[in-house]
Protein backbone atom coordinates (compact mmCIF):
# COMPACT_ATOMS: atom_id res chain seq x y z
CA UNK A 1 0.00 0.00 0.00
CA UNK A 2 0.97 3.58 -0.59
CA UNK A 3 1.51 6.51 1.75
CA UNK A 4 -0.18 9.62 0.39
CA UNK A 5 0.88 13.03 1.63
CA UNK A 6 -1.67 15.82 1.44
CA UNK A 7 -0.69 19.47 1.19
CA UNK A 8 -4.16 20.87 1.69
CA UNK A 9 -6.79 18.86 3.53
CA UNK A 10 -9.97 20.75 2.72
CA UNK A 11 -12.84 19.62 0.52
CA UNK A 12 -10.88 17.80 -2.20
CA UNK A 13 -8.04 16.74 0.11
CA UNK A 14 -10.49 15.44 2.69
CA UNK A 15 -12.56 13.53 0.12
CA UNK A 16 -9.49 11.95 -1.47
CA UNK A 17 -8.04 11.07 1.94
CA UNK A 18 -11.28 9.27 2.80
CA UNK A 19 -11.15 7.24 -0.42
CA UNK A 20 -7.46 6.51 0.19
CA UNK A 21 -7.98 5.22 3.72
CA UNK A 22 -10.92 3.09 2.53
CA UNK A 23 -8.58 1.61 -0.09
CA UNK A 24 -6.04 0.70 2.61
CA UNK A 25 -3.51 3.49 2.05
CA UNK A 26 -1.87 5.56 4.77
CA UNK A 27 -2.46 9.31 4.61
CA UNK A 28 -0.52 12.24 6.07
CA UNK A 29 -2.63 15.39 6.23
CA UNK A 30 -1.34 18.97 6.31
CA UNK A 31 -2.71 22.46 5.87
CA UNK A 32 -1.67 26.08 6.46
CA UNK A 33 -2.62 26.16 10.17
CA UNK A 34 -0.52 23.26 11.35
CA UNK A 35 -1.08 19.69 12.59
CA UNK A 36 -3.06 20.60 15.71
CA UNK A 37 -5.89 21.90 13.53
CA UNK A 38 -6.06 18.51 11.75
CA UNK A 39 -5.86 16.07 14.66
CA UNK A 40 -9.63 15.58 14.84
CA UNK A 41 -9.94 15.09 11.08
CA UNK A 42 -7.12 12.54 11.18
CA UNK A 43 -8.73 10.75 14.12
CA UNK A 44 -12.02 10.51 12.22
CA UNK A 45 -10.17 8.83 9.35
CA UNK A 46 -8.73 6.24 11.74
CA UNK A 47 -5.36 4.67 12.40
CA UNK A 48 -4.14 5.02 8.80
CA UNK A 49 -4.25 8.83 9.05
CA UNK A 50 -2.03 11.32 10.84
CA UNK A 51 -1.61 15.09 10.88
CA UNK A 52 1.72 16.73 10.07
CA UNK A 53 3.37 19.86 8.75
CA UNK A 54 3.44 20.46 5.01
CA UNK A 55 7.14 19.55 4.85
CA UNK A 56 6.50 16.30 6.73
CA UNK A 57 3.56 15.42 4.49
CA UNK A 58 5.70 16.14 1.44
CA UNK A 59 8.51 13.95 2.74
CA UNK A 60 6.27 11.08 3.84
CA UNK A 61 4.25 10.57 0.68
CA UNK A 62 5.07 8.02 -2.01
CA UNK A 63 2.65 10.29 -3.84
CA UNK A 64 1.90 13.82 -2.62
CA UNK A 65 -1.40 15.54 -3.43
CA UNK A 66 -1.20 19.34 -3.61
CA UNK A 67 -4.73 20.60 -3.20
CA UNK A 68 -4.73 24.18 -1.96
CA UNK A 69 -6.02 27.48 -3.38
CA UNK A 70 -3.66 28.17 -6.29
CA UNK A 71 -2.80 31.64 -4.95
CA UNK A 72 -0.82 29.88 -2.16
CA UNK A 73 1.34 27.84 -4.54
CA UNK A 74 4.60 29.52 -3.53
CA UNK A 75 4.23 28.04 -0.04
CA UNK A 76 4.39 24.46 -1.30
CA UNK A 77 7.79 23.17 -0.12
CA UNK A 78 10.18 22.77 -3.04
CA UNK A 79 13.10 20.84 -1.52
CA UNK A 80 10.91 18.25 0.23
CA UNK A 81 9.23 17.43 -3.08
CA UNK A 82 12.43 17.06 -5.08
CA UNK A 83 12.13 13.88 -7.20
CA UNK A 84 8.66 13.05 -5.90
CA UNK A 85 5.42 12.23 -7.68
CA UNK A 86 2.95 15.07 -7.09
CA UNK A 87 -0.74 15.17 -7.96
CA UNK A 88 -1.86 18.71 -8.82
CA UNK A 89 -5.62 19.30 -8.43
CA UNK A 90 -5.36 23.09 -8.73
CA UNK A 91 -7.76 25.15 -10.78
CA UNK A 92 -7.57 28.90 -11.32
CA UNK A 93 -10.72 30.65 -10.19
CA UNK A 94 -9.69 34.27 -9.49
CA UNK A 95 -13.20 35.40 -8.54
CA UNK A 96 -13.47 32.90 -5.69
CA UNK A 97 -9.86 32.10 -4.81
CA UNK A 98 -7.99 35.32 -5.54
CA UNK A 99 -5.81 36.60 -8.33
CA UNK A 100 -2.36 35.22 -9.13
CA UNK A 101 -0.47 38.14 -10.73
CA UNK A 102 1.96 35.98 -12.73
CA UNK A 103 -0.96 34.18 -14.38
CA UNK A 104 -2.77 37.45 -15.10
CA UNK A 105 0.41 38.85 -16.65
CA UNK A 106 0.28 35.99 -19.14
CA UNK A 107 3.68 34.64 -18.19
CA UNK A 108 2.45 31.17 -17.35
CA UNK A 109 -0.83 29.28 -17.68
CA UNK A 110 -2.41 28.04 -14.44
CA UNK A 111 -1.93 24.37 -15.27
CA UNK A 112 1.88 24.75 -15.51
CA UNK A 113 2.33 26.90 -12.40
CA UNK A 114 2.88 24.20 -9.78
CA UNK A 115 5.32 22.23 -11.97
CA UNK A 116 7.28 25.45 -12.65
CA UNK A 117 7.43 26.15 -8.91
CA UNK A 118 8.42 22.59 -7.97
CA UNK A 119 10.96 22.22 -10.78
CA UNK A 120 12.34 18.77 -9.88
CA UNK A 121 9.08 17.08 -8.86
CA UNK A 122 7.08 14.93 -11.28
CA UNK A 123 3.75 16.72 -11.41
CA UNK A 124 0.66 14.93 -12.68
CA UNK A 125 -2.55 16.91 -13.10
CA UNK A 126 -5.45 14.83 -11.77
CA UNK A 127 -8.75 15.18 -9.93
CA UNK A 128 -9.04 18.81 -11.06
CA UNK A 129 -12.27 17.88 -12.87
CA UNK A 130 -14.33 16.25 -10.12
CA UNK A 131 -16.49 18.21 -7.67
CA UNK A 132 -15.49 17.06 -4.18
CA UNK A 133 -18.97 15.80 -3.25
CA UNK A 134 -18.99 13.64 -6.37
CA UNK A 135 -15.76 11.79 -5.51
CA UNK A 136 -17.34 9.29 -3.08
CA UNK A 137 -20.48 9.06 -5.23
CA UNK A 138 -18.60 8.14 -8.39
CA UNK A 139 -15.90 5.84 -6.99
CA UNK A 140 -16.43 2.19 -8.04
CA UNK A 141 -14.30 -0.95 -7.83
CA UNK A 142 -12.26 -1.85 -10.90
CA UNK A 143 -14.46 -3.30 -13.65
CA UNK A 144 -17.74 -2.30 -11.97
CA UNK A 145 -20.50 -0.98 -14.24
CA UNK A 146 -20.67 2.81 -14.33
CA UNK A 147 -17.07 3.31 -13.24
CA UNK A 148 -15.80 6.75 -14.22
CA UNK A 149 -12.58 7.84 -15.87
CA UNK A 150 -10.69 10.96 -14.81
CA UNK A 151 -8.22 12.75 -17.06
CA UNK A 152 -4.54 12.94 -16.09
CA UNK A 153 -1.64 14.76 -17.72
CA UNK A 154 2.05 14.97 -16.92
CA UNK A 155 5.50 14.97 -18.47
CA UNK A 156 6.81 11.82 -16.74
CA UNK A 157 5.44 8.49 -17.96
CA UNK A 158 6.69 6.79 -14.80
CA UNK A 159 4.90 9.28 -12.55
CA UNK A 160 1.71 8.97 -14.58
CA UNK A 161 1.86 5.18 -14.28
CA UNK A 162 2.20 5.45 -10.48
CA UNK A 163 -0.68 7.92 -10.31
CA UNK A 164 -2.84 5.72 -12.55
CA UNK A 165 -2.34 2.77 -10.17
CA UNK A 166 -3.29 4.98 -7.24
CA UNK A 167 -6.35 6.37 -9.03
CA UNK A 168 -7.46 2.83 -9.88
CA UNK A 169 -7.28 1.90 -6.19
CA UNK A 170 -9.39 4.95 -5.31
CA UNK A 171 -12.18 3.84 -7.64
CA UNK A 172 -11.55 5.51 -11.01
CA UNK A 173 -9.90 4.78 -14.36
CA UNK A 174 -7.10 7.21 -15.25
CA UNK A 175 -7.33 8.55 -18.81
CA UNK A 176 -3.94 9.80 -20.00
CA UNK A 177 -4.34 12.99 -22.02
CA UNK A 178 -0.60 13.45 -22.62
CA UNK A 179 2.05 15.92 -21.41
CA UNK A 180 1.21 18.40 -18.66
CA UNK A 181 0.53 21.17 -21.19
CA UNK A 182 -2.30 19.05 -22.61
CA UNK A 183 -4.18 19.46 -19.35
CA UNK A 184 -5.50 22.64 -21.01
CA UNK A 185 -7.96 20.20 -22.63
CA UNK A 186 -9.59 19.66 -19.24
CA UNK A 187 -9.01 23.10 -17.69
CA UNK A 188 -11.94 25.09 -16.24
CA UNK A 189 -14.43 26.03 -18.92
CA UNK A 190 -13.75 23.03 -21.15
CA UNK A 191 -16.39 20.33 -21.79
CA UNK A 192 -14.21 17.66 -20.13
CA UNK A 193 -14.03 19.66 -16.91
CA UNK A 194 -17.79 19.33 -16.68
CA UNK A 195 -17.82 15.62 -17.51
CA UNK A 196 -19.41 14.52 -14.24
CA UNK A 197 -21.90 17.37 -13.84
CA UNK A 198 -25.54 16.73 -14.65
CA UNK A 199 -26.48 19.77 -16.83
CA UNK A 200 -29.88 20.02 -15.12
CA UNK A 201 -28.74 19.86 -11.52
CA UNK A 202 -25.06 20.88 -11.82
CA UNK A 203 -23.36 20.90 -8.38
CA UNK A 204 -26.59 20.14 -6.53
CA UNK A 205 -27.17 16.91 -8.47
CA UNK A 206 -25.33 13.64 -7.89
CA UNK A 207 -22.17 13.10 -9.91
CA UNK A 208 -22.77 11.68 -13.39
CA UNK A 209 -20.56 8.74 -14.35
CA UNK A 210 -18.40 9.35 -17.44
CA UNK A 211 -16.46 6.52 -19.06
CA UNK A 212 -13.12 6.83 -20.87
CA UNK A 213 -15.05 6.94 -24.17
CA UNK A 214 -17.30 9.74 -22.86
CA UNK A 215 -14.22 11.62 -21.71
CA UNK A 216 -12.41 11.16 -25.02
CA UNK A 217 -15.37 12.70 -26.86
CA UNK A 218 -15.45 15.68 -24.48
CA UNK A 219 -11.68 16.23 -24.67
CA UNK A 220 -11.99 16.43 -28.47
CA UNK A 221 -14.46 19.30 -28.08
CA UNK A 222 -12.05 21.55 -26.17
CA UNK A 223 -11.78 24.94 -27.86
CA UNK A 224 -8.06 25.68 -27.67
CA UNK A 225 -8.07 28.83 -29.82
N1 LIG B 1 -13.76 21.90 -4.35
C1 LIG B 1 -13.79 21.17 -5.45
O1 LIG B 1 -14.78 20.44 -5.69
C2 LIG B 1 -12.61 21.16 -6.38
C3 LIG B 1 -12.67 20.33 -7.52
C4 LIG B 1 -11.56 20.23 -8.35
C5 LIG B 1 -10.41 20.99 -8.09
N2 LIG B 1 -10.39 21.82 -7.00
C6 LIG B 1 -9.17 22.59 -6.75
O2 LIG B 1 -8.49 21.92 -5.68
C7 LIG B 1 -7.86 22.88 -4.83
C8 LIG B 1 -8.41 22.71 -3.41
O3 LIG B 1 -9.79 22.99 -3.43
P1 LIG B 1 -10.70 22.74 -2.15
O4 LIG B 1 -12.09 23.05 -2.57
O5 LIG B 1 -10.39 21.43 -1.54
O6 LIG B 1 -10.19 23.91 -1.19
P2 LIG B 1 -10.51 24.12 0.36
O7 LIG B 1 -11.68 23.30 0.78
O8 LIG B 1 -10.57 25.60 0.56
O9 LIG B 1 -9.22 23.54 1.10
C9 LIG B 1 -7.97 24.13 0.89
C10 LIG B 1 -6.97 23.45 1.78
O10 LIG B 1 -5.69 24.00 1.47
C11 LIG B 1 -5.07 24.39 2.70
N3 LIG B 1 -4.12 25.45 2.47
C12 LIG B 1 -4.36 26.74 2.11
N4 LIG B 1 -3.19 27.39 1.99
C13 LIG B 1 -2.21 26.50 2.28
C14 LIG B 1 -0.81 26.59 2.36
N5 LIG B 1 -0.17 27.73 2.09
N6 LIG B 1 -0.11 25.49 2.72
C15 LIG B 1 -0.75 24.33 3.01
N7 LIG B 1 -2.09 24.18 2.95
C16 LIG B 1 -2.81 25.27 2.59
C17 LIG B 1 -6.22 24.79 3.60
O11 LIG B 1 -5.78 24.76 4.94
P3 LIG B 1 -6.17 25.94 5.95
O12 LIG B 1 -7.65 25.83 6.11
O13 LIG B 1 -5.38 25.60 7.18
O14 LIG B 1 -5.74 27.23 5.31
C18 LIG B 1 -7.20 23.68 3.28
O15 LIG B 1 -6.88 22.51 3.98
C19 LIG B 1 -8.17 24.25 -5.42
O16 LIG B 1 -7.07 24.67 -6.21
C20 LIG B 1 -9.39 24.02 -6.30
O17 LIG B 1 -9.42 24.89 -7.39
C21 LIG B 1 -11.46 21.92 -6.13
Amino acid sequence: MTTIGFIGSGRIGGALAQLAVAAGHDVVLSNSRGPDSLREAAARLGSRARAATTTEAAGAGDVVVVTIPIRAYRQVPVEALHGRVVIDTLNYDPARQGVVPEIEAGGIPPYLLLQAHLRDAYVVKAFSTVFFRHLPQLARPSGAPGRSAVPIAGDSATAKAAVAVLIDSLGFDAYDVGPLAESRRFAPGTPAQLAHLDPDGMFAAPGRPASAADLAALLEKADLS
Side-chain angles (χ1 to χ4, degrees), residues 7-13 30-33 54 67-70 72 75 89-91 97 127-132:
I7 297 180
S9 303
R11 290 171 294 180
I12 284 284
S30 73
N31 64 9
S32 74
R33 286 166 292 150
T54 53
T67 184
I68 63 175
I70 196 169
Q75 284 146 40
T89 79
L90 313 185
N91 286 326
Q97 293 186 13
F127 289 121
S128 56
T129 56
V130 190
F131 180 49
F132 75 104

Side-chain angles (χ1 to χ4, degrees), residues 126-144:
F127 289 121
S128 56
T129 56
V130 190
F131 180 49
F132 75 104
R133 285 192 207 286
H134 294 163
L135 283 167
Q137 297 169 0
L138 292 170
R140 307 263 194 289
S142 182

Side-chain angles (χ1 to χ4, degrees), residues 85 122-124 152-165 176 178-180:
V85 177
Y122 302 107
V123 172
V124 179
I152 67 170
D155 296 337
S156 161
T158 312
K160 281 194 287 191
V163 168
V165 168
D176 186 357
L180 192 58

